[in-house]
Amino acid sequence: GKMGTLETGSIESEFKGSGYLYYPSTEWLVNPAKYGTFYIKEICVEQYEQVEAGQELAKIEVISDEIEVGRVQRKLQRQQERLTRLLEKKSKIYSDEIDRTLDRAIEARQKTIEDLNEELTELTEYTGEIVLTAPYSGIITNLTESEAGDLVSYNQKLVQIANQSLCYVIVEDKDGQLSYGNTATITYATADCIKKDITGTVVSVNKTAHSKQLQTGYALILIPGEYVGEVVKYGSAVMGGGGWNRSRFEIKAPIRGVADVVLVPKRAVKVHNKNT
């Protein structure tokens, strides 16, 4: 009893899900100095800050152990004096047996001097200010709780950085709907809590290309580098924030479609005995 106009157009299916930030590559930058007394001079960055390769992250003040340095220098001087005497003695004419004995003594002194020089180098390798810099462009994911003026120890963790070129949203995809190269819309909240959409790219292979042992049921969506800092800092569009590894995002992606087809209005489609 009604009339309608059929038109041509396109139809596509859409994947919808929730994803979480995922960094497969992170590392801690630590205090590299072994000898002396060390203080934090400055932590130059904040958590979730986006940094460039070579940017200063932290500064450490090193006070050398002058007593230990002096002790090694005195030992080194004594060994060099003894070596000089052995070389003078070797220059004189002795028997072959005495020469061999002197050669062994000279070799032992030279080895001792070499070891002392290495020890002195380690003791004086870091003096004054140490500056820790970003090894690559990335995101600061964690910081030490210590503050400027606090004592730190050798190898103490100070700044954790994640490689921004390996920043993903991981999303559950048990049915294998997402495939490598698909584009996906990632929705997150900006600083003023306004939702914003960016486009990422699926970089994981569809499960149909894997054996059962390699199927994970998840897909990885790469976040464009220019948006990584804002996405990480302001976080979730769904849960309202949280830690960098807890932020949750809305994900949408076109997965299947056809174009240039006749579109029939849904109201004109009838079902009879389960047949349309």
Side-chain angles (χ1 to χ4, degrees), residues 112-129:
T112 301
I113 289 172
E114 182 181 335
D115 292 343
L116 287 169
N117 274 321
E118 288 181 2
E119 186 177 351
L120 187 61
T121 298
E122 287 185 350
L123 286 169
T124 57
E125 181 179 7
Y126 296 103
T127 55
E129 184 180 271

Side-chain angles (χ1 to χ4, degrees), residues 94-239:
Y94 290 102
S95 65
D96 291 343
E97 183 178 348
I98 293 175
D99 280 349
R100 286 194 294 271
T101 301
L102 287 172
D103 285 340
R104 289 193 294 271
I106 289 170
E107 185 178 345
R109 294 296 177 196
Q110 289 173 333
K111 180 63 170 64
T112 301
I113 289 172
E114 182 181 335
D115 292 343
L116 287 169
N117 274 321
E118 288 181 2
E119 186 177 351
L120 187 61
T121 298
E122 287 185 350
L123 286 169
T124 57
E125 181 179 7
Y126 296 103
T127 55
E129 184 180 271
I130 300 175
V131 179
L132 302 181
T133 60
Y136 40 71
S137 297
I139 300 296
I140 304 304
T141 55
N142 214 337
L143 292 171
T144 177
E145 293 183 357
S146 301
E147 300 176 346
D150 288 350
L151 279 168
V152 291
S153 58
Y154 165 64
N155 229 22
Q156 182 171 328
K157 295 177 179 178
L158 298 175
V159 181
Q160 187 183 48
I161 184 173
N163 192 330
Q164 78 170 34
S165 65
L166 299 172
C167 178
Y168 305 96
V169 170
I170 186 170
V171 60
E172 189 173 10
D173 181 25
K174 290 184 177 179
D175 296 329
Q177 298 179 73
L178 298 175
S179 298
Y180 183 87
N182 285 160
T183 57
T185 300
I186 303 167
T187 303
Y188 69 99
T190 61
D192 47 7
C193 298
I194 296 174
K195 286 190 176 183
K196 183 175 180 180
D197 293 338
I198 59 172
T199 300
T201 305
V202 177
V203 294
S204 52
V205 177
N206 188 285
K207 73 173 189 176
T208 57
H210 287 308
S211 64
K212 283 188 177 181
Q213 288 80 1
L214 294 177
Q215 293 176 10
T216 63
Y218 292 90
L220 291 180
I221 303 169
L222 183 65
I223 300 175
E226 62 269 28
Y227 297 110
V228 168
E230 189 174 62
V231 170
V232 173
K233 189 170 184 179
Y234 299 116
S236 172
V238 179
M239 296 173 62

Side-chain angles (χ1 to χ4, degrees), residues 4-11 258-266 268-269:
T5 301
L6 301 184
E7 297 177 348
T8 58
S10 61
I11 298 176
V258 289
D260 196 25
V261 293
V262 177
L263 303 178
V264 179
K266 288 183 179 180
V269 179

